């Protein structure tokens, strides 16, 4: 052995960073400060200075992160029980707020039980891998555009996997048909795909699940709070919640806080609770967050105003962009993606919007989306005013001109 050999660790790390910089996909985090009561306005901290900006890419889709009821519930909880949970769920970390929230979430999806995790990412990774491990010989059928956390779950499950083309019912059926009928199967998909804003054919997937004796696992992260009469997601909107075996959601997007969950039958939830490492061996969510989430979920069960204005804002923004011949990618949901098609120009467009117009929208590059489809992804909010929309579209028209980015070639 050559113990006089010196490994140059520093060079390996710095080369990795140089590589992604050259590809134009080095991530720069914006240092922002949201102002309670003023969302989507915020302050940007840059080189010791402060600048006013309008945020156009927040996943706090309905502004619930600053909802007065949510804030009040968190203040009360903080003073009542203190800041942290003080333990894992098993060792003194199950508070009454956790139990109430799990009941609230089970009710939201009309399931027997709910289970909380510290994030939506963890809820997917932990639940999917655990279910796969408990089902001997399991094969997971996963949409090719599924979120990183679901992919991680599949890998962790050490099971068979088949990737079907995005939202392609026929391809899924073909793969199911090729498999041994006696083997356990899980069909894994999202209700809304957040980068393109398209919806899954939930009913068709559920039909296939019946025909081929599979479980269905649906990520509703970008839909909970936002679709359905009580905010139960696309499943609720389409009357399909009872047909999906496991519904997964987050408290970090429309509900405005943080944390993730699944809702399913009592036994499925009990299995994940009992076997999932990512659930068991970690400190439970702060009761303060949990209390805020209860208020947020309850509010959105009763109030549809936020949902309605949100959909109207998204439709208005898309319409205005199309009128300005900006290349809005087809999207039926609240997501408004604008195609740029090049990582470096995408970043330049985002920088120009920020520096010259005070408009903050994050460039979305590979690996989040396929190369060549780099985009700006707008998340309109009920609190974006007509004036903000006008300013945005005018600014985009100028930036598209300046950077010579392709517009709509035909009237869409
Ligand atoms: C954001 C996201 C998650 C992760 O949820 P977090 O609560 O942010 O960890 C899971 N699935 C999808 C589709 C997401 O977009």
């Amino acid at each position: 052995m050559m113990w006089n050999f010196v490994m140059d660790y520093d060079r390996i790390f710095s080369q990795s960073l140089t590589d992604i910089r050259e590809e134009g996909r080095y991530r720069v985090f914006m240092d922002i400060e949201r102002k309670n009561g003023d969302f989507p306005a915020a302050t940007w901290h840059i080189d010791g200075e402060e600048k006013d900006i309008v945020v156009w890419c927040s996943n706090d889709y309905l502004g619930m992160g600053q909802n007065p009821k949510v804030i009040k519930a968190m203040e009360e909880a903080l003073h009542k029980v203190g800041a942290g949970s003080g333990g894992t769920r098993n060792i003194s970390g199950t508070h009454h707020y956790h139990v109430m929230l799990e009941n609230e979430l089970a009710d939201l999806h009309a399931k027997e039980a709910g289970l909380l995790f510290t994030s939506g990412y963890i809820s997917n990774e932990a639940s999917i891998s655990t279910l796969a491990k408990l089902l001997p010989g399991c094969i997971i059928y996963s949409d090719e555009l599924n979120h990183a956390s679901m992919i991680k779950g599949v890998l962790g499950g050490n099971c068979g996997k088949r990737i079907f083309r995005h939202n392609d019912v026929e391809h899924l059926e073909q793969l199911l048909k090729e498999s041994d009928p006696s083997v356990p199967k899980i069909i894994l998909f999202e209700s809304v795909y957040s980068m393109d804003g398209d919806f899954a054919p939930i009913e068709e997937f559920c039909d296939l699940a019946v025909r081929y004796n599979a479980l269905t696992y649906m990520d509703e992260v970008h839909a909970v709070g936002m679709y359905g009469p009580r905010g139960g997601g696309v499943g609720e909107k389409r009357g399909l919640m009872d047909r999906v075996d496991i519904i997964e959601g987050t408290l970090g997007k429309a509900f405005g806080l943080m944390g993730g969950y699944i809702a399913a039958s009592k036994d499925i939830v009990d299995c994940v609770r009992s076997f999932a490492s990512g659930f068991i061996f970690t400190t439970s969510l702060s009761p303060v967050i949990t209390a805020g989430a209860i208020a947020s979920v309850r509010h959105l069960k009763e109030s549809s105003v936020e949902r309605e204005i949100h959909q109207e804002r998204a439709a208005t923004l898309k319409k205005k962009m199309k009128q300005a011949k900006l290349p809005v990618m087809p999207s039926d949901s609240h997501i408004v993606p604008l195609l740029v098609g090049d990582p470096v120009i995408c970043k330049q467009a985002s920088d120009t919007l920020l520096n010259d117009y005070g408009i903050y929208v994050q460039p979305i590059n590979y690996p989040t989306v396929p190369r060549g489809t780099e985009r700006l992804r707008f998340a309109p909010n009920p609190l974006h005013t007509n004036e903000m929309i006008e300013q945005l579209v005018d600014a985009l028209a100028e930036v598209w001109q300046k950077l010579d980015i392709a517009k709509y070639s035909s009237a869409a």
Side-chain angles (χ1 to χ4, degrees), residues 59 119-122 124 147 149-150 190 192 194 219 221-222 248 250-253 259-260:
N59 282 334
S119 74
Y121 186 102
I122 301 287
N124 273 332
H147 190 257
S149 56
M150 302 167 86
E190 301 178 24
V192 185
S194 73
D219 176 316
V221 159
H222 288 277
E248 184 271 342
T250 186
L251 303 167
K253 287 167 186 172

Side-chain angles (χ1 to χ4, degrees), residues 119-313:
S119 74
Y121 186 102
I122 301 287
S123 66
N124 273 332
E125 184 179 29
S127 306
I128 296 165
S129 60
T130 301
L131 294 170
K133 279 189 219 154
L134 289 175
L135 297 167
C138 179
I139 301 178
I140 293 188
Y141 299 78
S142 181
D143 188 290
E144 66 179 340
L145 294 190
N146 277 343
H147 190 257
S149 56
M150 302 167 86
I151 297 169
K152 256 302 176 67
V154 178
L155 288 176
N158 251 330
C159 54
K161 79 170 180 217
R162 308 280 183 275
I163 311 295
F164 60 91
R165 283 190 293 272
H166 177 53
N167 280 346
D168 189 331
V169 179
E170 274 173 34
H171 190 213
L172 172 59
E173 174 153 32
Q174 186 191 325
L175 295 175
L176 285 163
K177 234 184 234 168
E178 285 166 6
S179 309
D180 179 346
S182 69
V183 156
K185 304 175 178 68
I186 305 175
I187 301 173
L188 203 60
F189 59 98
E190 301 178 24
S191 64
V192 185
Y193 284 82
S194 73
M195 291 303 147
D196 294 310
D198 55 338
F199 294 103
I202 302 170
E203 187 164 20
E204 287 81 351
F205 286 168
C206 291
D207 289 344
L208 287 183
V210 172
R211 197 169 312 146
Y212 294 93
N213 205 2
L215 289 175
T216 43
Y217 182 111
M218 176 163 75
D219 176 316
E220 283 256 40
V221 159
H222 288 277
V224 290
M226 289 182 288
Y227 293 88
R230 299 204 312 155
V234 185
E236 188 196 18
K237 185 179 175 200
R238 298 189 184 167
L240 297 169
M241 284 196 297
D242 62 324
R243 298 202 54 201
V244 178
D245 296 294
I246 301 110
I247 295 178
E248 184 271 342
T250 186
L251 303 167
K253 287 167 186 172
F255 291 125
L257 289 131
M258 71 178 298
Y261 66 88
I262 56 165
S265 73
K266 226 163 110 276
D267 281 357
I268 287 183
V269 164
D270 210 11
C271 275
V272 176
R273 186 185 74 87
S274 307
F275 292 101
S277 172
F279 171 81
I280 298 171
F281 298 104
T282 190
T283 301
S284 64
L285 282 171
S286 157
V288 179
I289 290 182
T290 328
I294 294 170
S296 183
V297 173
R298 281 187 186 153
H299 175 80
L300 288 176
K301 277 181 181 174
E302 281 156 21
S303 171
S304 286
V305 186
E306 291 84 0
R307 281 187 279 281
E308 282 158 18
I309 306 180
H310 181 224
Q311 290 298 320
E312 179 278 321
R313 293 284 78 185

